Amino acid sequence: MRKRVLLIEDEPNIIQAISFILSRDGWTVDTHADGQSAMAEVARRTPDVVILDVMLPNRSGFDILQDLRADPATEKLPVLMLTARGQKRDRELAERYGASRFMTKPFSNAEVLETMRQLTGT
Amino acid sequence: MPPRGLTGSRIRDRRLLAGVKQSALARTVGISAAYLNLIEHNRRRIGGKLLGDIAEALHVEPAILADGAEAELVTRINEAAASQPGTAAETDRAEEFAGRFPGWAGLLRRQARRIGDLERTVASLSDRMAHDPHLAASLHDLLSTVTAINATASILVDTDEIEAEWRDRFHRNIHEDSQRLADSSRALVAYLDSSPEADSGTGSPQEELEAWLKARDFHVPELERALPASEASILGSDAFVSASSRDLAQRFLARYRADAKAMPLADFSEDAARVQYDPGVLAADYGVDLAAVLRRIAMLPTQAGAGHIGLVVCDGSGTLTFRKQVDGFPLPRFGAACPLWPLYQALSRPLQPIRALVELAERDVMRFLVYAIALPAGVPGFDAPPVYEATMLMLPVDRVAVPDLPVQRIGTSCRICPQAECRTRREPSILAGGV
């Protein structure tokens, strides 16, 4: 059965590129671009992994991550955080709030694929 | 040179040195040429605001006109000594020092001034790096665009068989992102190239508006006429880079127009000067709210004295949404200001007028009489919490009669405030150990 990933990211061309490489790798890819309604989208799609950008319209990825960890239904859901701000503080926040992995932009496609496989043990 | 005490003669000498006609100087400061002639021949006493206006018009310190160059030099030497409390300079002999060694004293004055300039530059740069949301957003945009190009290019290079539709789409994406990257880079370079020392950076919409207003001395004569032009026509076609800055400017001008209509320039200038810029009296006389009076006073033309009057406005979060700087009262370009500002006292006590005598914790200590008020922003709704906007006017004390009030010591913002002991400090100062 194909693994399902929800990509929460607001840059259209990054969405297209990541969707393409993950689809080619056998993933079912859903995408969502708004922070405010992201939690509802997670509940609706029930993904195996979430790729979550930090800077989203209307709501921060860190806030969404905290909500995911506070909800018993998603507290163990693997989350790969993406950010363009590779600062130490962002990395510390990602770890504190329970991100499974943290990746700074720009990243390589191979790096994304490898991390996704590790997160789902495939 | 005239003997000590003859201020009028010094004004005349300085005017002639600057090549300014008597009638032109009189017109600039708003008095008749005949009256200026009496002053210059020491037949009328002069001081206060008029002396300040003449000094500004002649580009000299008021103290030079009032007391002579030597007195001004002694004042600066003493200020330099006061800014370095541990140096044990013989301040009681500053006059003797300036008289016996005018060259060395002049050098000391220039170096003290240079140190002050450097401190302000360092503070501004530090402020920019630490708190500049525009810079952070620009870098985020650049990195996101680079990521999109990198990921897309890698797909095109690494994927053996790719459908024509996808290939064309990725080519198109790379082209779009390359354009976006070029635009973002140019905008960022332009922003970084703007000189913080001259405070001329025009990166954000607010800065664009302030730069535009600064170029007009914060006065818009087109809106003072009986049938003013539209806001859009005043702005011109190329004055603002972005649509958001243009929108901000139009909203500012609409408010300016309303203030000008409620408080016509000729009458208001005269009344404001007559009542020593007391906003309470003016608000009652014109039947307008206090915030409108504070804005109107700050937007008076320079000849009416407003070139020396500062104004700040903040929203309910405390973010400064408008800044008109005045000498001796620096305003933070980014981030939060000093929490001791009466502006924030007003925000915590909406509708209550605040008046205070404040002293800036700066190298060149200056005092200001400030007025502040927080009023609802826009029309309050029935089912929404009230949102307030606070306005603060800063009047240098040499321009107004100073009421008997205790002096409150305030700063600019913690990061660039030299005040060692402060109950409201939220972060260390980069100036704590000197520069």
Side-chain angles (χ1 to χ4, degrees):
Chain A
M1 187 174 170
R2 287 163 71 96
K3 294 279 188 183
R4 180 178 288 269
V5 57
L6 175 60
L7 171 60
I8 306 174
E9 162 69 64
D10 64 325
E11 289 292 335
N13 293 354
I14 293 179
I15 292 172
Q16 280 193 20
I18 293 180
S19 297
F20 181 86
I21 59 170
L22 289 176
S23 299
R24 284 286 176 110
D25 199 49
W27 292 79
T28 297
V29 183
D30 298 314
T31 65
H32 191 69
D34 177 64
Q36 192 68 50
S37 51
M39 283 301 291
E41 196 65 11
V42 172
R44 192 168 75 87
R45 301 282 189 182
T46 61
D48 298 298
V49 184
V50 168
I51 300 178
L52 179 60
D53 190 25
V54 169
M55 292 186 75
L56 291 165
N58 302 318
R59 197 156 187 245
S60 153
F62 287 132
D63 292 339
I64 298 166
L65 179 60
Q66 289 181 81
D67 282 358
L68 287 171
R69 293 303 177 237
D71 184 343
T74 55
E75 63 181 346
K76 291 188 167 43
L77 179 65
V79 176
L80 166 60
M81 293 290 295
L82 301 180
T83 179
R85 304 163 59 197
Q87 294 177 349
K88 186 181 172 190
R89 184 172 170 275
D90 276 6
R91 187 175 289 276
E92 287 172 354
L93 282 177
E95 287 177 6
R96 187 190 308 167
Y97 297 147
S100 311
R101 291 295 182 89
F102 179 87
M103 201 174 280
T104 56
K105 297 175 182 177
F107 43 75
S108 74
N109 295 348
E111 195 181 0
V112 174
L113 283 175
E114 179 60 25
T115 304
M116 293 295 286
R117 288 170 189 157
Q118 288 176 4
L119 285 174
T120 53
T122 55
Chain B
M1 291 292 285
R4 218 174 149 79
L6 299 181
T7 303
S9 301
R10 275 190 285 271
I11 291 173
R12 181 179 175 80
D13 286 344
R14 285 283 172 172
R15 178 178 61 74
L16 293 173
L17 197 64
V20 178
K21 287 186 176 177
Q22 194 177 53
S23 57
L25 177 59
R27 193 164 51 249
T28 302
V29 300
I31 60 176
S32 69
Y35 188 65
L36 178 58
N37 192 49
L38 290 172
I39 291 172
E40 288 191 349
H41 288 88
N42 303 300
R43 292 166 65 186
R44 289 290 184 278
R45 294 174 68 85
I46 179 173
K49 178 179 176 302
L50 181 56
L51 181 64
D53 288 345
I54 291 176
E56 184 188 4
L58 294 174
H59 306 293
V60 296
E61 295 284 337
I64 288 181
L65 297 181
D67 306 318
E70 189 176 304
E72 193 271 344
L73 185 58
V74 172
T75 301
R76 297 297 170 217
I77 291 170
N78 278 323
E79 285 176 357
S83 68
Q84 304 291 330
T87 54
E90 296 87 350
T91 50
D92 56 329
R93 300 179 66 186
E95 198 162 347
E96 179 190 346
F97 174 64
R100 291 183 62 189
F101 306 104
W104 284 109
L107 177 64
L108 177 62
R109 174 180 58 182
R110 282 194 297 278
Q111 292 198 332
R113 185 176 293 165
R114 178 71 179 144
I115 289 171
D117 289 344
L118 288 171
E119 282 186 350
R120 280 189 285 277
T121 301
V122 169
S124 177
L125 286 171
S126 171
D127 199 26
R128 184 174 195 162
M129 295 307 293
H131 300 298
D132 186 348
H134 183 80
L135 188 59
S138 294
L139 290 173
H140 175 266
D141 191 46
L142 278 180
L143 285 169
S144 291
T145 311
V146 167
T147 301
I149 293 173
N150 187 50
T152 309
S154 294
I155 290 171
L156 290 170
V157 170
D158 298 337
T159 308
D160 293 332
E161 293 180 9
I162 184 166
E163 297 84 348
E165 183 189 343
W166 276 103
R167 188 188 59 225
D168 292 346
R169 184 183 299 177
F170 286 143
H171 279 148
R172 200 165 49 246
N173 288 356
I174 286 182
H175 177 69
E176 288 171 4
D177 282 331
S178 301
Q179 291 282 349
R180 184 176 150 199
L181 187 61
D183 291 344
S184 302
S185 304
R186 272 196 295 272
L188 185 60
V189 168
Y191 181 65
L192 292 173
D193 274 352
S194 63
S195 164
E197 188 174 6
D199 198 25
S200 61
T202 52
S204 71
Q206 188 185 341
E207 286 175 328
E208 275 191 61
L209 172 60
E210 287 169 1
W212 184 79
L213 286 169
K214 195 172 181 180
R216 293 170 155 253
D217 279 341
F218 286 83
H219 183 66
V220 189
E222 297 95 319
L223 291 179
E224 305 287 356
R225 296 170 190 146
L227 293 171
S230 71
E231 286 90 351
S233 68
I234 293 169
L235 294 175
S237 58
D238 56 355
F240 293 88
V241 174
S242 65
S244 53
S245 59
R246 199 172 177 80
D247 180 60
L248 188 70
Q250 291 201 26
R251 276 187 281 136
F252 171 84
L253 291 179
R255 182 181 248 187
Y256 186 114
R257 180 201 293 269
D259 291 344
K261 189 177 176 187
M263 294 164 274
L265 179 61
D267 290 346
F268 187 81
S269 299
E270 199 176 309
D271 291 341
R274 178 174 50 78
V275 302
Q276 296 264 303
Y277 304 100
D278 186 324
V281 175
L282 293 166
D285 284 353
Y286 283 84
V288 294
D289 68 59
L290 275 171
V293 172
L294 301 186
R295 289 193 301 269
R296 190 65 175 140
I297 290 174
M299 300 301 151
L300 286 173
T302 303
Q303 297 94 312
H308 307 272
I309 298 174
L311 183 84
V312 285
V313 179
C314 77
D315 64 14
S317 74
T319 302
L320 298 184
T321 55
F322 182 80
R323 308 176 315 162
K324 182 194 174 201
Q325 189 152 310
V326 58
D327 286 347
F329 202 125
L331 306 173
R333 189 174 174 196
F334 309 110
C338 171
L340 296 174
W341 280 13
L343 178 76
Y344 300 122
Q345 293 172 32
L347 201 58
S348 65
R349 284 183 277 166
L351 308 178
Q352 183 177 335
I354 306 275
R355 183 180 67 166
L357 184 62
V358 300
E359 182 176 277
L360 271 291
E362 294 290 324
R363 172 177 293 276
D364 301 320
V365 174
M366 285 185 69
R367 287 184 179 178
F368 293 83
L369 181 62
V370 302
Y371 294 94
I373 182 80
L375 297 175
V379 180
F382 285 106
D383 302 316
V387 178
Y388 292 97
E389 178 185 67
T391 306
M392 180 171 82
L393 185 78
M394 299 91 84
L395 294 158
V397 293
D398 63 351
R399 309 195 73 80
V400 291
V402 182
D404 186 19
L405 295 169
V407 179
Q408 300 176 23
R409 198 162 167 79
I410 63 174
T412 298
S413 71
C414 288
R415 194 165 174 77
I416 54 174
C417 178
Q419 187 81 3
E421 301 292 331
C422 178
R423 63 190 166 85
T424 61
R425 179 169 288 289
R426 60 178 171 268
E427 62 178 322
S429 169
I430 61 166
L431 299 181
V435 176

